[in-house]
Amino acid sequence: DARVTQTPRHKVTEMGQEVTMRCQPILGHNTVFWYRQTMMQGLELLAYFRNRAPLDDSGMPKDRFSAEMPDATLATLKIQPSEPRDSAVYFCASGLVKPLQAGEQYFGPGTRLTVT
Amino acid sequence: EDQVTQSPEALRLQEGESSSLNCSYTVSGLRGLFWYRQDPGKGPEFLFTLYSAGEEKEKERLKATLTKKESFLHITAPKPEDSATYLCAVLNYGGSQGNLIFGKGTKLSVKP
């Protein structure tokens, strides 16, 4: 049963510290997405990659967030420095997206980040 | 601007009491509409994709329908295990490829 995995599942850190979240997408999927979920805003797209190349990161605060995909089995989302307003659940999702076709996205269990 | 609005925000049902959740959307061109279920502390779980007006899909007690302006998720004779937040999302033709626009969800509670 193929699944998206994310680590860590929970992270508590102090303001100003660096946070790195990791995601292993489903093997064979060509697109990886990073979302943030809060009660107020719901699910927001931060960035996504197609075949490991960044396609869109307009949803991310550029000065503190960075997303990379060093290989096909690993995507990372880094926050440096972290701030209390970054507290949220961060989801990774992957999917097989083909031109002109809608593709389902499969979500990982999320990383719950608390910045104090 | 592309937008997805779900209603109601919360819905309480008695076990066996059928109802519908609504997802209205405004997009430049709909490529697909997706329904997800999210349980507390978990990631959204894919349920259905609908592509064109008039299309319907079913899974157990759930049936999703699509018109040109909205989608409905019908729940027939719900059980307590159907309690979850149901999310609707759309994929449009314009803009970047593959990114979904999500509504804020409907939190469904089914009491025994």
Side-chain angles (χ1 to χ4, degrees), chain A:
Chain A
D1 186 20
R3 298 185 183 189
V4 176
T5 59
Q6 290 186 247
T7 57
R9 292 295 313 278
H10 302 273
K11 177 73 176 179
V12 179
T13 190
E14 292 183 348
M15 182 173 62
Q17 297 298 306
E18 178 179 298
V19 175
T20 299
M21 290 169 269
R22 294 177 174 80
C23 166
Q24 181 172 8
I26 293 172
L27 189 65
H29 283 182
N30 63 353
T31 309
V32 175
F33 305 82
W34 282 106
Y35 290 90
R36 175 170 62 185
Q37 187 175 42
T38 61
M39 290 293 292
M40 291 297 295
Q41 300 297 327
L43 266 170
E44 301 175 283
L45 180 67
L46 297 175
Y48 68 104
F49 297 78
R50 176 78 40 77
N51 297 318
R52 294 178 54 201
L55 278 193
D56 189 345
D57 62 1
S58 58
M60 290 200 314
K62 298 290 191 302
D63 56 338
R64 299 185 299 108
F65 284 58
S66 62
E68 295 181 346
M69 199 160 176
D71 63 61
T73 65
L74 177 65
T76 62
L77 179 66
K78 188 175 296 185
I79 307 174
Q80 168 63 24
S82 58
E83 297 181 0
R85 59 179 167 155
D86 300 330
S87 297
V89 181
Y90 291 81
F91 288 104
C92 174
S94 71
L96 182 60
V97 179
K98 300 177 183 179
L100 302 182
Q101 290 184 19
E104 298 86 15
Q105 296 181 20
Y106 296 88
F107 283 75
T111 294
R112 180 175 294 276
L113 174 65
T114 302
V115 183
T116 60

Side-chain angles (χ1 to χ4, degrees), chain B residues 21-74:
Chain B
L21 282 55
N22 177 264
C23 170
S24 62
Y25 60 90
T26 306
V27 294
S28 52
L30 183 70
R31 191 185 297 182
L33 185 141
F34 301 79
W35 282 98
Y36 285 83
R37 168 190 171 128
Q38 186 173 22
D39 292 296
K42 296 189 176 182
E45 175 189 346
F46 170 75
L47 292 173
F48 304 110
T49 307
L50 301 168
Y51 295 98
S52 57
E55 187 175 1
E56 298 183 352
K57 287 197 176 170
E58 290 188 62
K59 180 179 181 179
E60 296 180 354
R61 294 176 292 281
L62 301 177
K63 183 169 80 172
T65 61
L66 181 65
T67 72
K68 289 185 177 180
K69 295 291 184 185
E70 57 192 349
S71 176
F72 292 93
L73 185 65
H74 306 278

